[in-house]
Amino acid sequence: MQIQILAVGKLKERYLVDGIAEYMKRLGSYAKMQLIEVPDEKAPENMSPAEEQQVRVKEGERLLAKLASDVYVVALAIDGEMWTSEQLASSLDKLATYGRSQVAFVIGGSLGLSSELLSRADMQLSFGRMTLPHQLMRLVLVEQIYRAMRINRGEPYHK
C-alpha cells in the first residue's frame, strides 16, 4: 500500500517532527509512506470571511496539485465521519483488497480545507468535534495509520 499524508505548512516543533519520524519509520515495513508539505498562505490575524476563503482556496490549489488523479483521497475535516481505529483498519484493508492501494490523507491549514478539495475527496474523516492544531493532527494521524496496520496484521498494540 502507498500512503501519502499531504499537509499545509512546515512543522517546526521538534517533538512533533521526532514523533512523526518514529511512526513513519515503524510504518516502513507495512506501507510506502510519504509526507508532503505545501506552503501555507501568509495571512493577517484578523481576516474577513472572504479573505479566509481566499486563503483556503490558495492552500487547496497547492494540495490538489500534489494529488494524482487515481489516488483515493481522505480529507480530514471536523464535519467528517468519526471512526474507531478498527474501522480505519478495515477501510484501509478493503481499499488495498479492491485495488485502491494508493491513498492520500489531506490535512488543511489553520482555516481548514477548501470546498474544491473537499469535493475531490472520496471521503471525509473526523478525529472528533474538538479543534486540534493541524500540526498535531499529523502525529495523531500517522499513529492511527500505524495502529491500523498492526490491527490488520493481527499484531498486538496497546489499547
Side-chain angles (χ1 to χ4, degrees):
M1 182 159 240
Q2 296 178 19
I3 299 175
Q4 294 178 321
I5 298 173
L6 277 71
V8 172
K10 183 150 183 68
L11 278 183
K12 297 172 187 79
E13 294 83 359
R14 184 89 237 145
Y15 72 98
L16 292 173
V17 171
D18 291 346
I20 290 168
E22 176 62 27
Y23 281 110
M24 294 288 275
K25 182 177 78 174
R26 292 181 188 186
L27 276 161
S29 62
Y30 298 94
K32 181 180 177 190
M33 296 292 300
Q34 186 179 22
L35 175 60
I36 299 170
E37 297 174 327
V38 300
D40 55 346
E41 187 66 22
K42 302 301 178 222
E45 193 65 31
N46 297 319
M47 291 184 284
S48 69
E51 290 171 319
E52 288 181 359
Q53 172 68 10
Q54 194 59 27
V55 167
R56 282 191 295 275
V57 166
K58 287 180 180 178
E59 291 174 347
E61 289 170 351
R62 292 179 189 134
L63 291 166
L64 286 165
K66 300 291 183 182
L67 292 170
S69 61
D70 59 342
V71 70
Y72 186 90
V73 178
V74 179
L76 273 61
I78 200 162
D79 293 325
E81 294 179 44
M82 286 193 281
W83 285 354
T84 64
S85 298
E86 291 79 11
Q87 286 173 302
L88 176 61
S90 176
S91 177
L92 290 174
D93 190 49
K94 286 177 185 168
L95 286 169
T97 300
Y98 295 105
R100 300 296 305 265
S101 60
Q102 291 184 317
V103 179
F105 290 88
V106 183
I107 303 170
S110 59
L111 298 174
L113 294 167
S114 68
S115 57
E116 293 82 4
L117 196 131
L118 291 171
S119 294
R120 165 62 179 91
D122 294 284
M123 75 148 313
Q124 295 180 33
L125 180 64
S126 173
F127 278 72
R129 298 296 178 232
M130 290 184 181
T131 302
L132 295 174
H134 59 283
Q135 298 93 341
L136 178 60
M137 197 59 239
R138 294 181 204 186
L139 178 58
V140 173
L141 174 61
V142 76
E143 186 280 334
Q144 283 297 303
I145 294 170
Y146 176 68
R147 184 180 298 266
M149 295 299 177
R150 303 237 352 150
I151 289 169
N152 284 341
R153 286 206 184 159
E155 297 171 353
Y157 195 73
H158 61 80
K159 298 187 183 225

